[in-house]
Amino acid sequence: MSAIKLTIDGQEIEVAPGTTILEAARQLGIDIPTFCQDPELPPNGACRICVVEVEKARALVASCVAPVGPDMVVYTESERVINARKNNLGLMLANHPLDCITCEKTGTCKLQDYCYQYGVATSEFEGEVKNLPYDDTNEFFYRDMNKCILCGICVGKCQLVVGAGAIDFTKRGFVTNVSAGFEDPIEESSCVFCGMCIDNCPVGALIPKYVTGKGRPWQTESVPSVCPYCSLGCNINLHVKDNEVIEVSPVKESPVNRGHLCVQGKFGWDFIHSGDRVTAPLVKSDGVFVEVSWEEALDYIVDNIKEVQTRYGADALMGLSSPKASNEDSYLFQKLIRSLGTNNVDSYSKHCHASSVNGMMDAFGNAATTNSIDEIAATDAVLVIGANPAETHPILDYRVREAARNGAKLIVAAPEMIGLVDVSTGYLPLKQGTELALLNAMANVIINEGLHDQAFIDNRTEGFDQLKKAVEKYTPEYVAGITGLDEQEILSAARAYASAEKAVILSDAAVSNKIGAADFVRALANLAMLTGNVGKESAGVYLPYGENNLQGMADMGALPNVATGYQHLGEEAVREKFSKAWGVKISDEPGMTAAEAFADGKNSRIKAMYIMGENPVACGGDQADLVQFLSNLDFLVVQDIFMTETASLADVILPASAFAEKLGTYTNTERRVQLNQPALEPPGEVYPDWAVLVELAEWFGFEWDYVGPEEVFDEIASLTPDYSGMSYRRLVEQGLQWPCPADDHPGTKYLHQNSFSRGKGLFAGVDYKPEALQMDEGHAAECCATGVHSCQCLSETLTRRSVISAFKKGCCV
Ligand code: SF4
């Protein structure tokens, strides 16, 4: 259809049919006031503040709902329009407490701004005013519904975007209100405390408790940062006053979270101001920790590690880095451990995800989630299996809901009714642990009904015949008996997934704690390759990690067998490259994994350990062996922000800096390397971790003369092909997704476009075993409500020091 030409405030414009007057005006840079309009929600014309005058129209029209028409002539600030807006504002003010002097929203309140803009100071309307109770019954925010202007944005976000459905309009007419069902307290509702209602409320009806009385918006500095919890790496602004974070808001323009957060990102940052931060180096003397100077602590560490290495050899030392550490910190950490002559560097958290990593590596040659977070919204079909993103990665849950709103078929295979079932087109309530059998059955149906992508299979993959043979016996009838599903349900799911132009599989890397998880991940990859749903936009396999920088930590070579960018240290050329760059000789002895070191217990060859930012002792399950192992070490150094259960076993504790206190980069699940800015001065004697590592390296005699983390990052880029086109200057806006091999490369939205990282994608015939995907013995039984997710690595070290512990327990960082 041809474009529509119209005139707004004397300016001509051509827009597509169906465009609203409001959208057309915005294209011209004309600002029309709105309260209830939100690009994510259907327009509802509720607030009427956006009215405009259209020539030849009798009444004013709400520009947010009125479509443009041919040769329309619109006035957005005519006298009629201004009077109508004044009238609307007056009506709102008549029923709105005028306590702007103390209202926390002053300065960011739309009602206040528009009243100022149109000169509305008081209301000429009189009558009954609302007198609703002030609701402070939950831990997170105050609700003063006397200030609510009934724009409905909170209701729309809660129901449509988040899917929580905690609030709705209640009653009618003058007494219309927004509340939880039966006007119950919000904490008794299905509220997930994501804060989306607060961040989008245009007035002061919803105010976070922590901000109250702490400062006005214009008194705070807004510092861009990255959420320190899950691997999605949502972009946040830290609002800081007097070296204290007083509020956190989502970054609306972020390609990662588009203005959305979950409870952890919105409310979970307060651990940084916890009273039990370690603020000075501590050395254990006669079983008691004593504060010492940095010089004494570093001296003590160097003497003891050297002594262990002299007595037992270089490989008696092991370092564990943390998925909470920045890329620069993990890079320097593994460089230091390797410079001390051993490849024994790993992370405790990583082994929670080891099976997923192995499964993806085998199939694709690369363990990373294949596509970007935002691509989910534009896919045609989503298969959610082995995951409950609302619990673990809520932004992914929001994107899946968006895909469903956009018309995608949504198949949810889960033993329990997870939230996404509400918007699914097919729910498969399979027996727990039978996921792999279902995937094989879907592959069986797809092959037998000729729904597979033969060209993709021929050109891009190998091992198809093996897969075909392996899934022969997994007929819908056979698998119905295993899973407890109907044959028809299996057939429908397979057909829905295979017939989509673009299809996404969403699971969770933390299924690795389950026996047979690597095979489960191989089966996911089989399905994607079988239908050509990998290597293209909005089609791929999502296996997000639990912790924020697990991807970056692995990218940085904090692993026993590889240096940065997975360059294998078994290859002499790689060892030589890093030896030359670092001025040390990299050992040709393969390193030990954390699991191997711990499994050997008191017979382990590891006699000294340096743990940076991990708390394995608190990771759930029976950790008695681990405690004994750590207690038996000749020497243990822990660098952490808290006196954790693990730190209490150490000989030396070095204070660490929290995410809000340091400059550095983090790499999220979509491989986006993001720059985190420091917002706070660290407390006491705390220094940024990169600076501590540099100082310690110099104490060991290495000449590390970095002036800051940017220089460290430049060194990473110079040694890591996938990062080589990155620099702080390029990362500052929205980060870059690796591979980014050149200064002018835009980064890579999705992987495996023309070839897989291993060349051809590899099908694997994987058999269902009845014990598969059952919880491994000794792992944390309390983790996650889905029954399919068990993440042993998460210790609640941060969340138990935060207000969110009131809401979110288990399966937390
Ligand atoms: Fe933070 Fe993950 Fe929640 Fe985003 S989804 S706010 S990264 S915990």
Side-chain angles (χ1 to χ4, degrees), residues 227 229-234 261-266 392-395:
C227 174
Y229 283 96
C230 87
S231 63
L232 303 192
C234 291
L261 290 177
C262 76
V263 64
Q264 299 187 117
K266 178 67 185 171
T392 56
H393 303 88
I395 301 300

Side-chain angles (χ1 to χ4, degrees), residues 348-360:
Y348 187 75
S349 305
K350 186 220 74 186
H351 87 103
C352 281
H353 301 79
S355 301
S356 309
V357 168
N358 293 340
M360 291 280 269

Side-chain angles (χ1 to χ4, degrees), residues 417-435:
M417 287 277 283
I418 64 172
L420 282 175
V421 173
D422 289 350
V423 288
S424 69
T425 47
Y427 171 44
L428 306 179
L430 78 183
K431 285 185 197 153
Q432 188 172 331
T434 63
E435 288 86 350

